[in-house]
Amino acid sequence: MQNSHKCLSLLREATQNFTIKNATYTKSLPARIAGISGAMVSKGMHLSRCLQRNRNRKQEPTNLSALFKPVHVQRNVDEHDVGSELVGKLEKSAVLRILNNFTQRHEIKTLCQENGLDNYLQHQAFASFRRYCIESENLPVDIHIIFSDIIKGAGHVDDIFPYFLRHAKSIFPHLDCMDDLKKISDLRTPANWYPSARNITRKIIFHAGPTNSGKTYHALERFLSAESGVYCGPLKLLATEVFNKANERGTPCDLVTGEERKYGINENTAAAHVACTVEMTSVNRPYKVAVIDEIQQLRDRQRGWAWTRAFLGLIAEEVHVCGEAGAVELLQKICETTNETVEVRSYKRLTELTVEDEALITLDNVQPGDCIVCFSKNDIYSVSREIEARGKEVAVIYGGLPPGTKLAQAAKFNDPDNSCKVMVATDAIGMGLNLSIRRIVFYSLTKPTMNEKGEREIDTISVSSALQIAGRAGRYRTQWEHGYVTTYKSEDLPKLRQILEQTPEPLKQAGLHPTADQIELYAYHLPNSSLSNLMDIFVNLCTVDDSLYFMCNIEDFKFLAEMIQHVPLPLRARYLFCCAPINRKMAFVCSMFLKITRQYSRNEPITFDFISKNCGWPLSLPKTILDLVHLESVFDVMDLYLWLSYRFMDLFPDASTVRIAQRELDEIIRQGVFQITRLLKNSETTTYSMRRITQAKESGVGNVGIRGRLTDRLIAQGLLTPAMLKELRKEWDAQQQIRPANEQSMNSKDLGSYDQNDSDDDNAFGRKSRRKRKK
């Protein structure tokens, strides 16, 4: 038994001394290994007799192991076959037999488990090691000698294990650093990430109440009267509103959003007060007073981390949070970890809100001051068209519109002297706009939502969302102080009444997100992993106190990371690019994101000319809804440019020019939205015309030209040039003469399908248009 333990310790010592780096081998190393093998054989002490099993060792789950992608290992390229010179040549067939025997041994599989190789990793490592040994012309000298000893009976097949483990660690670097990775992704105490905030005694004041209760008003009054302060809002519109209010009141205030900076004094002198979007909150600058608006957004699956970061990290003597009363309990539990207390100030609604006894049923019953709330763009378009067909002017607001256009639509609706008395909107009105609404009408009670896995589902709106939207009716000190709420469908009204009688569920968890520093540390340990893969590994390995926190959804981040994976970028730059606020459903924006990334990777400035060329600037008024959607996409591209310009100033030199162009585009979109009914009519006419063209071509009737609205758009987007169009005309004419009518190219049905789908989900970033261009 003593010899057995001695033998095992020798083998494990040899195993532990192997590293994943290439080593320079000397004759003494194979001699030592051969000596160990000989000692084992001479005493008849095979690994099968001396293997120590650790049955209590916790194994990583297979789904986690699948995230670790094997690194490709080059076959051995030594010019001289030292092993053959020492012990003679090896027959590859004999080596293969030994390897097959090695991989089947139960003892080896158990020892693999002890070293972090579960079944999935074992399979990958065995296959890679077998390939390496068979394909290498000259094996490394130590491996060569071990195989020779086994073939000659002077060694045992288990003696291969140290060399196999060395190979396994070279293709799976995480085996050597799993403990470090787990330490990096230990997120159980996020409060400790902000030592400056922990070093002061903060007074936490929670302003709890429903919409139109004055809770934010009281917090802002404290903000404006303080010596210094910061306001953290959920939207650019709210931050801009506070910025304007502060400066009008004589309190110099700066504005900081992802895409914009404005100054209360000048750009060289920082004001003591700042209004910002919550993601842009500074956790390094001290303030007297901080205000965090809509604190219940802590639970948001995409953006919740930003509220958590602001709440834990703000260096302020007073931190005022505003939001639903359901967030109080969670904040109190979080404050127990920071040794702080929460003072709760409760507010009641200032105006009355009544649920009506009857549903709207028909749009003929729309009245002045009504706001029809829809949860899809298609419903927005159809409802606004039907209302205007009844001779009533409509204001339209949805999330994709530029801020200026939203404000213009809101101003038109709020103006008592304006003929526009009805609004059609999405739940974008839930926060961020001051609207004078008499009655909220829910067109439906279902909306697309994102579940915990990042999958889209259609579900009944939450109690919180319903109360937020319904509460927009009846605003204090406006012409409509008494608010009303109802539904469009009769069958929805009892359900709405039941929802509004409930109180929002208490918040259970706050969102977290990996930081750039944490991902950089992961990349140091796993240098061959992609950014998307690093994020996956981090999320699956991280340890979170799930009584207080959850990991935010990272699907949008991963989507961008995978899109630009082939573009050479430093990791920090890649991480920042993937944080860009992009709607991945907008194919044109994704295509431009990729082009901008490529330009940046070549260290070439992204100028306004670059944006103009690729977006077809200058742009004209939209003629159809699809034109309007494209203009919104171009606006988002300019937003993307401005967002990146504050993070990579050297290669985005034309931010001021882009901002001027964006204001012009906002005005163009504004005019288009004012005429949305005409755009809808034109869209229907265009669709009908495209169908007629398709039918004519399919039947071989008429000579259809190829210049039209679609080609104009393709030229505007930079996907087609006038010269290319001219060549296409020539090809068209030539094909018309030599090909049967039913085989004519330039199938307008295909073009029409591109036109109708260019705003749909992820159409491979314009692959359709590229195929058209190649043809």
Side-chain angles (χ1 to χ4, degrees), residues 222-292:
R222 181 70 189 98
F223 162 79
L224 293 169
S225 62
E227 184 181 326
S228 65
V230 59
Y231 167 84
C232 313
L235 302 169
K236 287 184 283 187
L237 277 176
L238 277 173
T240 304
E241 182 181 322
V242 171
F243 164 77
N244 291 331
K245 182 177 182 179
N247 286 294
E248 288 167 5
R249 286 264 299 260
T251 303
C253 181
D254 292 341
L255 174 69
V256 179
T257 71
E259 302 80 18
E260 190 172 19
R261 306 288 186 276
K262 288 185 177 178
Y263 306 98
I265 304 172
N266 59 59
E267 60 182 302
N268 298 316
T269 307
H273 290 72
V274 178
C276 63
T277 46
V278 66
E279 284 87 351
M280 300 304 296
T281 303
S282 170
V283 292
N284 299 312
R285 179 178 169 184
Y287 301 96
K288 291 291 184 181
V289 171
V291 176
I292 308 174

Side-chain angles (χ1 to χ4, degrees), residues 354-611:
T354 302
V355 181
E356 293 188 330
D357 295 326
E358 294 182 358
L360 194 68
I361 301 174
T362 171
L363 294 176
D364 292 330
N365 296 328
V366 168
Q367 300 174 14
D370 279 357
C371 176
I372 319 294
V373 177
C374 307
F375 295 112
S376 77
K377 267 191 180 182
N378 286 337
D379 287 345
I380 288 277
Y381 296 149
S382 61
V383 170
S384 58
R385 169 121 191 236
E386 287 185 39
I387 292 175
E388 290 211 341
R390 290 163 169 76
K392 297 175 181 177
E393 194 175 342
V394 175
V396 176
I397 291 177
Y398 52 87
L401 291 176
T405 303
K406 288 179 187 173
L407 290 171
Q409 292 288 299
K412 180 174 79 165
F413 175 74
N414 288 338
D415 186 356
D417 299 325
N418 195 292
S419 58
C420 176
K421 304 296 183 186
V422 179
M423 173 170 285
V424 180
T426 63
D427 51 345
I429 65 161
M431 49 184 161
L433 286 168
N434 290 321
L435 297 168
S436 180
I437 298 172
R438 175 186 171 273
R439 178 171 64 172
I440 289 286
V441 180
F442 285 89
Y443 192 67
S444 74
L445 293 179
T446 58
K447 65 172 289 188
T449 58
M450 190 80 74
N451 65 18
E452 294 181 3
K453 298 179 181 179
E455 301 164 339
R456 295 190 74 80
E457 297 176 342
I458 302 296
D459 200 2
T460 304
I461 59 172
S462 66
V463 174
S464 173
S465 180
L467 288 168
Q468 185 91 13
I469 296 167
R472 304 296 286 177
R475 189 168 184 83
Y476 186 58
R477 290 180 178 172
T478 68
Q479 58 179 326
W480 311 116
E481 287 209 349
H482 189 139
Y484 298 88
V485 59
T486 188
T487 60
Y488 179 76
K489 301 172 188 174
S490 296
E491 60 267 29
D492 284 343
L493 189 54
K495 192 186 299 183
L496 176 66
R497 192 184 302 277
Q498 182 183 8
I499 291 173
L500 295 181
E501 286 173 354
Q502 301 176 46
T503 55
E505 287 188 11
L507 272 66
K508 297 177 181 177
Q509 297 170 310
L512 296 174
H513 192 276
T515 66
D517 291 335
Q518 288 166 331
I519 297 303
E520 274 191 334
L521 286 171
Y522 256 51
Y524 171 78
H525 290 293
L526 305 172
N528 295 291
S529 296
S530 68
L531 179 56
S532 175
N533 189 219
L534 289 173
M535 293 292 283
D536 266 336
I537 296 169
F538 186 98
V539 169
N540 281 273
L541 264 185
C542 69
T543 309
V544 175
D545 179 359
D546 54 14
S547 67
L548 294 177
Y549 302 103
F550 68 92
M551 182 59 67
C552 283
N553 187 278
I554 58 168
E555 290 308 307
D556 286 348
F557 184 100
K558 283 175 53 187
F559 175 81
L560 297 181
E562 288 164 6
M563 190 200 311
I564 63 171
Q565 179 54 38
H566 63 287
V567 181
L569 287 172
L571 181 69
R572 177 71 66 153
R574 189 182 299 278
Y575 181 94
L576 288 174
F577 266 89
C578 294
C579 289
I582 291 177
N583 182 352
R584 61 175 173 170
K585 288 180 175 293
M586 302 182 75
F588 179 74
V589 181
C590 290
S591 174
M592 284 300 299
F593 173 74
L594 185 56
K595 289 179 181 179
I596 289 170
T597 308
R598 285 197 188 112
Q599 185 89 342
Y600 177 89
S601 72
R602 294 191 291 264
N603 205 32
E604 297 175 6
I606 297 89
T607 62
F608 179 68
D609 287 341
F610 175 89
I611 299 297

